[in-house]
Amino acid sequence: AQSVTQPDIHITVSEGASLELRCNYSYGATPYLFWYVQSPGQGLQLLLKYFSGDTLVQGIKGFEAEFKRSQSSFNLRKPSVHWSDAAEYFCAVAPNTDKLIFGTGTRLQVFP
Amino acid sequence: GAVVSQHPSRVICKSGTSVKIECRSLDFQATTMFWYRQFPKKSLMLMATSNEGSKATYEQGVEKDKFLINHASLTLSTLTVTSAHPEDSSFYICSAGLGQGVNGYTFGSGTRLTVV
């Protein structure tokens, strides 16, 4: 069965530090891959997505993610975190074109 | 850009009553809308896929008689939690598709339901 794993439940970083959020998926082929961000009590905002082509994907708010087929991973990165980046981050995969499967999320806390 | 409006943002209801949550696509027509439920500190679980003009497709384990979904127009889908109980308390989020598959999904801002 398809699944998405975000091994880090909670990450704390200092403002200005670099960030990497991990995401691994289990699927026979390469699915569509997404990262979403959710502020408290809010819906989800799409940060970036990968369908095909260049494995390094640029997104909004200075985020990027790299697809590594050999590791079945799609880790999210940001070189310098801002306090406003504190939120819940969800990795999601779409095994086909219709349905999103979400990971359990990683809560990011940013210290000044 | 595509905007999805979800209403209400918060609702408190008494046990045994029904609650309706609306999901509207404001500037586009959505042939498909999705309803998710998010438990505290958990991921989003897809409850059902709502298709305009036809019956919703429910995920395994979701009671269709308890969570009634209606998608009567291309801009509106509603989720009604019938005979709500405290265990139905949760955060419910809808998303709407632009007809481009997952490439075009936009999420609403969610509804916090508390059943007392």
Side-chain angles (χ1 to χ4, degrees), chain B residues 16-39:
Chain B
T17 62
S18 295
V19 175
K20 180 183 287 187
I21 302 170
E22 293 187 347
C23 181
R24 292 181 184 273
S25 56
L26 295 186
D27 50 1
F28 67 99
Q29 294 182 328
T31 55
T32 304
M33 291 185 175
F34 303 86
W35 287 96
Y36 294 84
R37 181 173 179 176
Q38 185 177 28
F39 294 94

PDB file of all heavy atoms in Angstrom, chain B residues 16-39:
ATOM      1  N   GLY B  16     -25.984  15.099  19.484  1.00  0.00           N
ATOM      2  CA  GLY B  16     -27.263  14.689  18.924  1.00  0.00           C
ATOM      3  C   GLY B  16     -27.793  15.591  17.828  1.00  0.00           C
ATOM      4  O   GLY B  16     -28.700  15.203  17.083  1.00  0.00           O
ATOM      5  N   THR B  17     -27.223  16.762  17.701  1.00  0.00           N
ATOM      6  CA  THR B  17     -27.654  17.675  16.644  1.00  0.00           C
ATOM      7  C   THR B  17     -26.804  17.472  15.395  1.00  0.00           C
ATOM      8  O   THR B  17     -25.808  16.750  15.413  1.00  0.00           O
ATOM      9  CB  THR B  17     -27.554  19.137  17.092  1.00  0.00           C
ATOM     10  OG1 THR B  17     -26.178  19.441  17.383  1.00  0.00           O
ATOM     11  CG2 THR B  17     -28.396  19.369  18.334  1.00  0.00           C
ATOM     12  N   SER B  18     -27.226  18.114  14.300  1.00  0.00           N
ATOM     13  CA  SER B  18     -26.496  18.000  13.035  1.00  0.00           C
ATOM     14  C   SER B  18     -25.842  19.330  12.701  1.00  0.00           C
ATOM     15  O   SER B  18     -26.351  20.396  13.039  1.00  0.00           O
ATOM     16  CB  SER B  18     -27.445  17.588  11.911  1.00  0.00           C
ATOM     17  OG  SER B  18     -27.952  16.291  12.153  1.00  0.00           O
ATOM     18  N   VAL B  19     -24.730  19.253  12.035  1.00  0.00           N
ATOM     19  CA  VAL B  19     -23.971  20.440  11.669  1.00  0.00           C
ATOM     20  C   VAL B  19     -23.614  20.373  10.187  1.00  0.00           C
ATOM     21  O   VAL B  19     -23.158  19.329   9.705  1.00  0.00           O
ATOM     22  CB  VAL B  19     -22.665  20.535  12.482  1.00  0.00           C
ATOM     23  CG1 VAL B  19     -21.825  21.705  12.016  1.00  0.00           C
ATOM     24  CG2 VAL B  19     -22.970  20.652  13.957  1.00  0.00           C
ATOM     25  N   LYS B  20     -23.809  21.498   9.499  1.00  0.00           N
ATOM     26  CA  LYS B  20     -23.473  21.553   8.081  1.00  0.00           C
ATOM     27  C   LYS B  20     -22.268  22.450   7.874  1.00  0.00           C
ATOM     28  O   LYS B  20     -22.216  23.572   8.374  1.00  0.00           O
ATOM     29  CB  LYS B  20     -24.647  22.078   7.261  1.00  0.00           C
ATOM     30  CG  LYS B  20     -24.354  22.154   5.749  1.00  0.00           C
ATOM     31  CD  LYS B  20     -25.510  22.741   4.965  1.00  0.00           C
ATOM     32  CE  LYS B  20     -26.665  21.791   4.861  1.00  0.00           C
ATOM     33  NZ  LYS B  20     -27.731  22.289   3.949  1.00  0.00           N
ATOM     34  N   ILE B  21     -21.320  21.961   7.097  1.00  0.00           N
ATOM     35  CA  ILE B  21     -20.121  22.724   6.742  1.00  0.00           C
ATOM     36  C   ILE B  21     -20.128  22.942   5.235  1.00  0.00           C
ATOM     37  O   ILE B  21     -20.353  22.007   4.473  1.00  0.00           O
ATOM     38  CB  ILE B  21     -18.844  21.968   7.154  1.00  0.00           C
ATOM     39  CG1 ILE B  21     -18.861  21.677   8.660  1.00  0.00           C
ATOM     40  CG2 ILE B  21     -17.606  22.766   6.774  1.00  0.00           C
ATOM     41  CD1 ILE B  21     -17.754  20.735   9.098  1.00  0.00           C
ATOM     42  N   GLU B  22     -19.883  24.174   4.818  1.00  0.00           N
ATOM     43  CA  GLU B  22     -19.909  24.506   3.397  1.00  0.00           C
ATOM     44  C   GLU B  22     -18.503  24.722   2.853  1.00  0.00           C
ATOM     45  O   GLU B  22     -17.646  25.285   3.522  1.00  0.00           O
ATOM     46  CB  GLU B  22     -20.727  25.780   3.162  1.00  0.00           C
ATOM     47  CG  GLU B  22     -22.202  25.637   3.445  1.00  0.00           C
ATOM     48  CD  GLU B  22     -22.967  26.883   3.037  1.00  0.00           C
ATOM     49  OE1 GLU B  22     -22.338  27.924   2.781  1.00  0.00           O
ATOM     50  OE2 GLU B  22     -24.212  26.805   2.985  1.00  0.00           O
ATOM     51  N   CYS B  23     -18.338  24.299   1.633  1.00  0.00           N
ATOM     52  CA  CYS B  23     -17.072  24.496   0.920  1.00  0.00           C
ATOM     53  C   CYS B  23     -17.403  25.087  -0.445  1.00  0.00           C
ATOM     54  O   CYS B  23     -18.104  24.453  -1.243  1.00  0.00           O
ATOM     55  CB  CYS B  23     -16.353  23.161   0.784  1.00  0.00           C
ATOM     56  SG  CYS B  23     -14.757  23.240  -0.047  1.00  0.00           S
ATOM     57  N   ARG B  24     -16.922  26.289  -0.694  1.00  0.00           N
ATOM     58  CA  ARG B  24     -17.238  26.974  -1.944  1.00  0.00           C
ATOM     59  C   ARG B  24     -15.961  27.310  -2.717  1.00  0.00           C
ATOM     60  O   ARG B  24     -14.981  27.786  -2.141  1.00  0.00           O
ATOM     61  CB  ARG B  24     -17.974  28.289  -1.672  1.00  0.00           C
ATOM     62  CG  ARG B  24     -19.357  28.129  -1.107  1.00  0.00           C
ATOM     63  CD  ARG B  24     -20.031  29.488  -0.901  1.00  0.00           C
ATOM     64  NE  ARG B  24     -21.341  29.341  -0.276  1.00  0.00           N
ATOM     65  CZ  ARG B  24     -22.469  29.132  -0.936  1.00  0.00           C
ATOM     66  NH1 ARG B  24     -22.451  29.052  -2.264  1.00  0.00           N
ATOM     67  NH2 ARG B  24     -23.611  28.994  -0.299  1.00  0.00           N
ATOM     68  N   SER B  25     -16.008  27.065  -4.011  1.00  0.00           N
ATOM     69  CA  SER B  25     -14.935  27.537  -4.881  1.00  0.00           C
ATOM     70  C   SER B  25     -15.370  28.908  -5.384  1.00  0.00           C
ATOM     71  O   SER B  25     -16.420  29.050  -6.004  1.00  0.00           O
ATOM     72  CB  SER B  25     -14.714  26.565  -6.039  1.00  0.00           C
ATOM     73  OG  SER B  25     -15.892  26.365  -6.773  1.00  0.00           O
ATOM     74  N   LEU B  26     -14.585  29.929  -5.084  1.00  0.00           N
ATOM     75  CA  LEU B  26     -15.038  31.298  -5.304  1.00  0.00           C
ATOM     76  C   LEU B  26     -14.847  31.782  -6.736  1.00  0.00           C
ATOM     77  O   LEU B  26     -15.625  32.583  -7.229  1.00  0.00           O
ATOM     78  CB  LEU B  26     -14.321  32.244  -4.339  1.00  0.00           C
ATOM     79  CG  LEU B  26     -14.628  32.027  -2.852  1.00  0.00           C
ATOM     80  CD1 LEU B  26     -13.965  33.112  -2.017  1.00  0.00           C
ATOM     81  CD2 LEU B  26     -16.125  31.972  -2.596  1.00  0.00           C
ATOM     82  N   ASP B  27     -13.795  31.377  -7.376  1.00  0.00           N
ATOM     83  CA  ASP B  27     -13.503  31.936  -8.694  1.00  0.00           C
ATOM     84  C   ASP B  27     -13.224  30.873  -9.741  1.00  0.00           C
ATOM     85  O   ASP B  27     -12.597  31.149 -10.767  1.00  0.00           O
ATOM     86  CB  ASP B  27     -12.320  32.900  -8.593  1.00  0.00           C
ATOM     87  CG  ASP B  27     -11.145  32.281  -7.861  1.00  0.00           C
ATOM     88  OD1 ASP B  27     -11.243  31.105  -7.454  1.00  0.00           O
ATOM     89  OD2 ASP B  27     -10.122  32.965  -7.704  1.00  0.00           O
ATOM     90  N   PHE B  28     -13.705  29.669  -9.461  1.00  0.00           N
ATOM     91  CA  PHE B  28     -13.559  28.613 -10.456  1.00  0.00           C
ATOM     92  C   PHE B  28     -14.624  27.559 -10.202  1.00  0.00           C
ATOM     93  O   PHE B  28     -15.240  27.512  -9.137  1.00  0.00           O
ATOM     94  CB  PHE B  28     -12.161  27.988 -10.406  1.00  0.00           C
ATOM     95  CG  PHE B  28     -11.864  27.220  -9.129  1.00  0.00           C
ATOM     96  CD1 PHE B  28     -11.972  25.839  -9.089  1.00  0.00           C
ATOM     97  CD2 PHE B  28     -11.487  27.896  -7.981  1.00  0.00           C
ATOM     98  CE1 PHE B  28     -11.696  25.142  -7.922  1.00  0.00           C
ATOM     99  CE2 PHE B  28     -11.210  27.209  -6.810  1.00  0.00           C
ATOM    100  CZ  PHE B  28     -11.320  25.829  -6.783  1.00  0.00           C
ATOM    101  N   GLN B  29     -14.829  26.735 -11.182  1.00  0.00           N
ATOM    102  CA  GLN B  29     -15.791  25.648 -11.042  1.00  0.00           C
ATOM    103  C   GLN B  29     -15.058  24.366 -10.685  1.00  0.00           C
ATOM    104  O   GLN B  29     -14.086  23.996 -11.348  1.00  0.00           O
ATOM    105  CB  GLN B  29     -16.580  25.475 -12.344  1.00  0.00           C
ATOM    106  CG  GLN B  29     -17.478  26.667 -12.651  1.00  0.00           C
ATOM    107  CD  GLN B  29     -18.293  26.452 -13.922  1.00  0.00           C
ATOM    108  OE1 GLN B  29     -17.847  25.791 -14.841  1.00  0.00           O
ATOM    109  NE2 GLN B  29     -19.491  27.019 -13.945  1.00  0.00           N
ATOM    110  N   ALA B  30     -15.529  23.741  -9.655  1.00  0.00           N
ATOM    111  CA  ALA B  30     -14.858  22.550  -9.141  1.00  0.00           C
ATOM    112  C   ALA B  30     -15.733  21.325  -9.367  1.00  0.00           C
ATOM    113  O   ALA B  30     -16.750  21.156  -8.698  1.00  0.00           O
ATOM    114  CB  ALA B  30     -14.551  22.709  -7.654  1.00  0.00           C
ATOM    115  N   THR B  31     -15.335  20.513 -10.292  1.00  0.00           N
ATOM    116  CA  THR B  31     -16.104  19.290 -10.536  1.00  0.00           C
ATOM    117  C   THR B  31     -15.890  18.275  -9.430  1.00  0.00           C
ATOM    118  O   THR B  31     -16.743  17.424  -9.193  1.00  0.00           O
ATOM    119  CB  THR B  31     -15.700  18.657 -11.869  1.00  0.00           C
ATOM    120  OG1 THR B  31     -14.280  18.447 -11.867  1.00  0.00           O
ATOM    121  CG2 THR B  31     -16.041  19.573 -13.030  1.00  0.00           C
ATOM    122  N   THR B  32     -14.767  18.397  -8.772  1.00  0.00           N
ATOM    123  CA  THR B  32     -14.451  17.457  -7.693  1.00  0.00           C
ATOM    124  C   THR B  32     -14.017  18.223  -6.454  1.00  0.00           C
ATOM    125  O   THR B  32     -13.207  19.136  -6.536  1.00  0.00           O
ATOM    126  CB  THR B  32     -13.316  16.502  -8.111  1.00  0.00           C
ATOM    127  OG1 THR B  32     -13.682  15.835  -9.317  1.00  0.00           O
ATOM    128  CG2 THR B  32     -13.051  15.472  -7.023  1.00  0.00           C
ATOM    129  N   MET B  33     -14.579  17.839  -5.328  1.00  0.00           N
ATOM    130  CA  MET B  33     -14.159  18.387  -4.046  1.00  0.00           C
ATOM    131  C   MET B  33     -13.870  17.226  -3.099  1.00  0.00           C
ATOM    132  O   MET B  33     -14.431  16.143  -3.240  1.00  0.00           O
ATOM    133  CB  MET B  33     -15.221  19.308  -3.444  1.00  0.00           C
ATOM    134  CG  MET B  33     -15.402  20.609  -4.218  1.00  0.00           C
ATOM    135  SD  MET B  33     -16.553  21.726  -3.383  1.00  0.00           S
ATOM    136  CE  MET B  33     -16.442  23.174  -4.418  1.00  0.00           C
ATOM    137  N   PHE B  34     -12.976  17.473  -2.164  1.00  0.00           N
ATOM    138  CA  PHE B  34     -12.548  16.440  -1.234  1.00  0.00           C
ATOM    139  C   PHE B  34     -12.765  16.917   0.204  1.00  0.00           C
ATOM    140  O   PHE B  34     -12.567  18.091   0.509  1.00  0.00           O
ATOM    141  CB  PHE B  34     -11.059  16.119  -1.435  1.00  0.00           C
ATOM    142  CG  PHE B  34     -10.723  15.689  -2.829  1.00  0.00           C
ATOM    143  CD1 PHE B  34     -10.437  16.626  -3.803  1.00  0.00           C
ATOM    144  CD2 PHE B  34     -10.681  14.350  -3.163  1.00  0.00           C
ATOM    145  CE1 PHE B  34     -10.129  16.235  -5.101  1.00  0.00           C
ATOM    146  CE2 PHE B  34     -10.367  13.941  -4.447  1.00  0.00           C
ATOM    147  CZ  PHE B  34     -10.101  14.890  -5.415  1.00  0.00           C
ATOM    148  N   TRP B  35     -13.131  16.002   1.033  1.00  0.00           N
ATOM    149  CA  TRP B  35     -13.310  16.304   2.457  1.00  0.00           C
ATOM    150  C   TRP B  35     -12.322  15.483   3.270  1.00  0.00           C
ATOM    151  O   TRP B  35     -12.231  14.258   3.130  1.00  0.00           O
ATOM    152  CB  TRP B  35     -14.737  16.002   2.902  1.00  0.00           C
ATOM    153  CG  TRP B  35     -15.717  17.008   2.373  1.00  0.00           C
ATOM    154  CD1 TRP B  35     -16.489  16.899   1.252  1.00  0.00           C
ATOM    155  CD2 TRP B  35     -16.004  18.287   2.934  1.00  0.00           C
ATOM    156  NE1 TRP B  35     -17.249  18.028   1.087  1.00  0.00           N
ATOM    157  CE2 TRP B  35     -16.974  18.903   2.107  1.00  0.00           C
ATOM    158  CE3 TRP B  35     -15.554  18.983   4.075  1.00  0.00           C
ATOM    159  CZ2 TRP B  35     -17.498  20.170   2.381  1.00  0.00           C
ATOM    160  CZ3 TRP B  35     -16.072  20.234   4.336  1.00  0.00           C
ATOM    161  CH2 TRP B  35     -17.035  20.824   3.498  1.00  0.00           C
ATOM    162  N   TYR B  36     -11.581  16.213   4.132  1.00  0.00           N
ATOM    163  CA  TYR B  36     -10.589  15.590   4.989  1.00  0.00           C
ATOM    164  C   TYR B  36     -10.956  15.824   6.456  1.00  0.00           C
ATOM    165  O   TYR B  36     -11.570  16.823   6.799  1.00  0.00           O
ATOM    166  CB  TYR B  36      -9.194  16.180   4.747  1.00  0.00           C
ATOM    167  CG  TYR B  36      -8.610  15.914   3.385  1.00  0.00           C
ATOM    168  CD1 TYR B  36      -8.931  16.727   2.306  1.00  0.00           C
ATOM    169  CD2 TYR B  36      -7.720  14.871   3.185  1.00  0.00           C
ATOM    170  CE1 TYR B  36      -8.382  16.490   1.052  1.00  0.00           C
ATOM    171  CE2 TYR B  36      -7.162  14.627   1.932  1.00  0.00           C
ATOM    172  CZ  TYR B  36      -7.507  15.444   0.883  1.00  0.00           C
ATOM    173  OH  TYR B  36      -6.960  15.215  -0.349  1.00  0.00           O
ATOM    174  N   ARG B  37     -10.469  14.923   7.274  1.00  0.00           N
ATOM    175  CA  ARG B  37     -10.603  15.093   8.718  1.00  0.00           C
ATOM    176  C   ARG B  37      -9.201  15.027   9.319  1.00  0.00           C
ATOM    177  O   ARG B  37      -8.390  14.180   8.946  1.00  0.00           O
ATOM    178  CB  ARG B  37     -11.467  13.972   9.299  1.00  0.00           C
ATOM    179  CG  ARG B  37     -11.679  14.081  10.799  1.00  0.00           C
ATOM    180  CD  ARG B  37     -12.669  13.052  11.280  1.00  0.00           C
ATOM    181  NE  ARG B  37     -12.866  13.146  12.722  1.00  0.00           N
ATOM    182  CZ  ARG B  37     -13.728  12.421  13.413  1.00  0.00           C
ATOM    183  NH1 ARG B  37     -14.510  11.533  12.793  1.00  0.00           N
ATOM    184  NH2 ARG B  37     -13.833  12.570  14.710  1.00  0.00           N
ATOM    185  N   GLN B  38      -8.945  15.943  10.221  1.00  0.00           N
ATOM    186  CA  GLN B  38      -7.628  16.002  10.844  1.00  0.00           C
ATOM    187  C   GLN B  38      -7.781  15.899  12.350  1.00  0.00           C
ATOM    188  O   GLN B  38      -8.365  16.779  12.985  1.00  0.00           O
ATOM    189  CB  GLN B  38      -6.907  17.298  10.468  1.00  0.00           C
ATOM    190  CG  GLN B  38      -5.482  17.366  10.974  1.00  0.00           C
ATOM    191  CD  GLN B  38      -4.791  18.628  10.509  1.00  0.00           C
ATOM    192  OE1 GLN B  38      -5.423  19.653  10.271  1.00  0.00           O
ATOM    193  NE2 GLN B  38      -3.480  18.576  10.374  1.00  0.00           N
ATOM    194  N   PHE B  39      -7.244  14.832  12.915  1.00  0.00           N
ATOM    195  CA  PHE B  39      -7.253  14.652  14.355  1.00  0.00           C
ATOM    196  C   PHE B  39      -6.075  15.421  14.939  1.00  0.00           C
ATOM    197  O   PHE B  39      -5.088  15.677  14.252  1.00  0.00           O
ATOM    198  CB  PHE B  39      -7.148  13.167  14.710  1.00  0.00           C
ATOM    199  CG  PHE B  39      -8.349  12.368  14.281  1.00  0.00           C
ATOM    200  CD1 PHE B  39      -8.360  11.713  13.056  1.00  0.00           C
ATOM    201  CD2 PHE B  39      -9.461  12.276  15.082  1.00  0.00           C
ATOM    202  CE1 PHE B  39      -9.463  10.977  12.651  1.00  0.00           C
ATOM    203  CE2 PHE B  39     -10.571  11.537  14.683  1.00  0.00           C
ATOM    204  CZ  PHE B  39     -10.561  10.896  13.467  1.00  0.00           C
TER     205      PHE B  39
END
